[in-house]
Amino acid sequence: MILTETIPASLIFEELDGRPLYRKGYKEVLANNLSPEEIMGCSFIQALIARILSSYFAEILRGKPYLVTSNEGGLHVSLGNNLTNDVAVFDRAMIKDIFSKKYADVPPKVAIGVDIKIEADQFPDPKDYISRKSEKMIEFGTESVIWVLTDNRKIMVMDRSREWFVCEWDETVPLFDQYQFCLNDLLKKEGVI
C-alpha cells in the first residue's frame, strides 16, 4: 500500500469527497518507470475530441450569454471536492471574475469529461467514479454531465433526474435548451472519420 504522504501533489488529478484521486500512471512514476511529465497529458484522441466539442459549443453559443471552457478547467464544488472538466459551458452571468486565477466556484450548465484520467484501482468499478463525480456535479447545480468514452465509443449522460442514458457516437446528444450535438458528425466535419 502506498502512503498518500509519499505521493507528490502534482500526481493528484482531482479531489472527490475529501479523497485525492491520482492520475492514471502515478504508480509508474513512483516506481521511477515514468517521469511525472509523461502522465500529465491526455491522449491525442481525448485532446482532439475536447477541442472539437469546445469549438463547436463556442460556435453555436456565440453571441449567447454563455462561456465555454476547456483544458481540464478546475471546479471548486465544496471543501474536499475539487474536480476537473475537459469542456464546460457556464452561464456568463454567474461568473463574477473572469480573470480569476482560482478554480471556478459556480456550477457549469453542462460539464463534459473525455474518458477517465484517474488510476483505475481507486474505485472498485470505473462506473462508480463516473457516477459519484457526476452526482457531485449535479448536486452542485450542473444541469447535465456528459462522458465521452473512447474505448467503447459511448456517450453517457446524467441530468438532474439522476438517471443515465447512453448514446452511441452517431446519435444526437442534448446539451441544454435546443442545443445538441452528434459526435460522429463533428468528427466527420473535421475529417477525422
Side-chain angles (χ1 to χ4, degrees):
M1 172 118 175
I2 299 169
L3 297 174
T4 57
E5 296 85 41
T6 65
I7 302 175
S10 62
L11 298 180
I12 297 173
F13 181 69
E14 293 177 310
E15 183 183 22
L16 182 60
D17 296 326
R19 175 179 164 197
L21 301 178
Y22 301 104
R23 294 179 179 278
K24 194 175 277 187
Y26 83 98
K27 290 178 184 177
E28 292 295 314
V29 172
L30 295 177
N32 291 319
N33 294 327
L34 293 174
S35 70
E37 294 77 17
E38 289 177 282
I39 67 164
M40 293 299 166
C42 62
S43 73
F44 185 79
I45 190 64
Q46 290 167 335
L48 185 62
I49 289 171
R51 200 269 311 151
I52 288 170
L53 289 175
S54 64
S55 295
Y56 174 70
F57 299 159
E59 178 184 317
I60 65 171
L61 297 171
R62 184 167 283 117
K64 306 288 192 278
Y66 303 107
L67 294 170
V68 179
T69 63
S70 60
N71 196 25
E72 293 180 358
L75 185 64
H76 176 68
V77 173
S78 62
L79 182 64
N81 289 289
N82 294 293
L83 307 174
T84 66
N85 298 292
D86 290 307
V87 180
V89 178
F90 289 89
D91 181 334
R92 183 182 297 265
M94 292 185 72
I95 305 296
K96 302 301 178 216
D97 182 5
I98 288 178
F99 294 99
S100 174
K101 293 186 179 188
K102 297 178 180 180
Y103 279 12
D105 60 0
V106 298
K109 283 185 79 61
V110 177
I112 298 173
V114 182
D115 288 333
I116 297 171
K117 298 179 187 88
I118 64 164
E119 194 66 47
D121 66 355
Q122 295 176 88
F123 282 83
D125 182 332
K127 287 182 256 171
D128 294 340
Y129 165 71
I130 288 174
S131 292
R132 184 64 194 133
K133 180 176 176 179
S134 300
E135 287 170 6
K136 187 63 71 175
M137 300 275 305
I138 298 293
E139 288 168 10
F140 185 52
T142 302
E143 291 182 21
S144 67
V145 181
I146 300 169
W147 289 88
V148 177
L149 305 175
T150 59
D151 285 343
N152 61 7
R153 295 191 180 201
K154 301 280 186 199
I155 299 174
M156 297 175 59
V157 182
M158 177 190 275
D159 62 19
R160 289 187 176 165
S161 72
R162 304 262 171 99
E163 296 200 10
W164 286 101
F165 65 92
V166 180
C167 303
E168 303 293 330
W169 282 14
D170 63 354
E171 294 180 85
T172 300
V173 178
L175 273 177
F176 60 91
D177 299 338
Q178 77 277 13
Y179 302 111
Q180 57 191 16
F181 70 96
C182 174
L183 185 56
N184 263 10
D185 289 352
L186 296 174
L187 292 171
K188 284 178 187 173
K189 186 177 175 184
E190 289 282 330
V192 174
I193 58 172

